Amino acid sequence: MRIHPHDALSDAQDPPSRWLPPVDHYCGVEKLMRKSLALQAEWQGRFDVTLDCEDGAAVGAEAAHVDLVVDLLRGPTGGRVGVRVHPVDHPAFEMEVHRLAHEAGERLAYLMLPKIDSAEQLHRGAVRVQQAWRQAGHEQGPPLQALVETHGALREVDALAAHPDIESLSFGLMDFVSAHRGAIPAEAMGVQGQFQHPLVLRAKLAISAACHAHGKVPSHCVVTELQDLAQLRNAGRRAARELGYTRMWSIHPAQIEPLLAALAPDPSELDEAADILCAAQDADWAPTRHRDRLHDRASYRYYWHLLSQAHRQQIALPAEAVLRFFTPPTA
């Protein structure tokens, strides 16, 4: 009887918030919101869609924008759909949270809180969200995501990641650069500069490390160069391979497919992972040798997480690995 990785390896199962779809697509204009939801259905939910009430709404038209968002949430969707509301201390925050809870609370996959400045502010926002959802008759509120884009948020990033309602932290590149009042050059907001400036890299690494320490998902910032898809793919690969990000923002439909590819594991590594894990299972998870390298349960856990991630992303895996690890046993 073969022992499954779940039973053989400690920490083989991720906590519920540890894995999210690798692309989070933001849209705030009606035409693009409808197009994004249709594309999500076509792609069978392989990416999240975040409907934007903050930057998407015209000043003074926040209530009308919520009308639109609620209408879209109540309609057909093809996967997880979240909403970005205004900052916790903004006058529109209470209205948006109340209406979303009462009019579309059961349809919301998550709520994004922007411009968080402290753990205390996050706590206040989380309490208010939970209250609104309970008042609307729901057992609990949705998972929260938060944007780290201020000095205060970066200073308390570990506490933000530790909050029980948080499932993901995102880096707000442009607001973070702007908060330095010209001390960081504008080029640091570009697709190349954001991987070179030390202060920006420091922020990205702090967010990623805090998320991984608390079992949450680090989400990488946008690339604003909409037409340069080669640069976009390179940014996605660097975010994943160099900085440990497992999720990334898209702000144009053309960015979704390149980012899904960039954040996916390499096929050759998946083949190697399958070979190593099948051999390990045959050896009852004792140490094994593969291509003249020793492997034991420490590396087995790495390769198991890799295969699990690919399986969740609906990426094709070697047939033997699918049969052994992802096919329910027959009675």
Side-chain angles (χ1 to χ4, degrees):
M1 181 70 177
R2 290 175 174 147
I3 303 172
H4 195 273
H6 283 166
D7 301 315
L9 307 175
S10 62
D11 190 34
Q13 298 191 59
D14 286 331
S17 66
R18 182 64 174 178
W19 191 88
L20 298 175
V23 174
D24 184 8
H25 180 63
Y26 269 70
C27 45
V29 178
E30 180 176 1
K31 178 182 177 181
L32 292 178
M33 289 194 286
R34 294 188 184 279
K35 179 178 180 178
S36 300
L37 292 172
L39 191 61
Q40 185 190 50
E42 180 182 329
W43 280 68
Q44 300 180 325
R46 290 181 61 196
F47 61 90
D48 284 351
V49 171
T50 301
L51 306 177
D52 192 1
C53 285
E54 185 193 20
D55 291 342
V59 175
E62 291 85 0
H65 199 76
V66 174
D67 287 340
L68 172 61
V69 167
V70 167
D71 180 62
L72 292 172
L73 285 169
R74 286 176 168 176
T77 59
R80 288 166 39 95
V81 181
V83 173
R84 176 165 70 167
V85 294
H86 278 79
V88 172
D89 295 323
H90 190 280
F93 175 79
E94 288 284 341
M95 177 273 294
E96 291 168 345
V97 167
H98 176 84
R99 291 198 54 193
L100 289 169
H102 284 77
E103 300 175 43
E106 74 285 354
R107 305 298 302 275
L108 204 64
Y110 55 90
L111 203 65
M112 165 60 80
L113 305 183
K115 295 179 175 61
I116 290 297
D117 198 46
S118 67
E120 184 276 331
Q121 187 187 58
L122 172 61
H123 175 71
R124 282 193 287 111
V127 167
R128 184 63 195 102
V129 169
Q130 292 292 345
Q131 289 173 343
W133 256 255
R134 287 196 296 269
Q135 289 166 1
H138 305 292
E139 185 175 338
Q140 63 180 15
L144 300 180
Q145 301 179 11
L147 263 165
V148 177
E149 48 193 336
T150 67
H151 298 296
L154 185 61
R155 183 172 56 249
E156 300 187 31
V157 67
D158 191 73
L160 301 182
H163 193 285
D165 291 349
I166 284 289
E167 67 175 5
S168 176
L169 294 180
S170 295
F171 179 47
L173 171 65
M174 289 181 284
D175 277 290
F176 180 78
V177 171
S178 298
H180 286 76
R181 302 174 183 270
I184 298 178
E187 64 193 40
M189 293 187 282
V191 67
Q192 294 184 7
Q194 64 173 281
F195 288 96
Q196 296 170 347
H197 197 282
L199 286 174
V200 174
L201 282 176
R202 168 180 170 267
K204 288 185 180 185
L205 289 169
I207 293 165
S208 179
C211 283
H212 289 299
H214 295 284
K216 310 300 174 67
V217 174
S219 186
H220 194 268
C221 57
V222 300
V223 168
T224 57
E225 291 85 348
L226 299 179
Q227 300 301 318
D228 195 337
L229 299 185
Q231 289 270 38
L232 175 72
R233 283 190 291 270
N234 183 57
R237 295 298 285 173
R238 294 191 69 180
R241 294 284 176 165
E242 298 175 17
L243 306 179
Y245 281 81
T246 58
R247 182 170 162 96
M248 187 164 172
W249 284 32
S250 160
I251 53 173
H252 189 279
Q255 293 185 328
I256 296 171
E257 186 173 4
L259 284 178
L260 285 172
L263 295 170
D266 287 328
S268 61
E269 193 171 16
L270 293 177
D271 290 341
E272 183 179 37
D275 290 343
I276 290 170
L277 290 174
C278 288
Q281 191 181 54
D282 290 341
D284 291 329
W285 303 99
T288 59
R289 183 174 177 172
H290 180 78
R291 296 178 182 172
D292 207 31
R293 295 186 67 178
L294 176 68
H295 291 279
D296 60 16
R297 273 171 279 190
S299 57
Y300 297 157
R301 282 192 290 273
Y302 168 81
Y303 289 111
W304 172 241
H305 288 306
L306 193 72
L307 284 189
S308 299
Q309 174 192 353
H311 179 67
R312 292 188 187 105
Q313 289 181 239
Q314 304 174 41
I315 296 172
L317 296 174
E320 182 67 15
V322 174
L323 180 64
R324 290 193 186 207
F325 307 131
F326 301 108
T327 303
T330 56

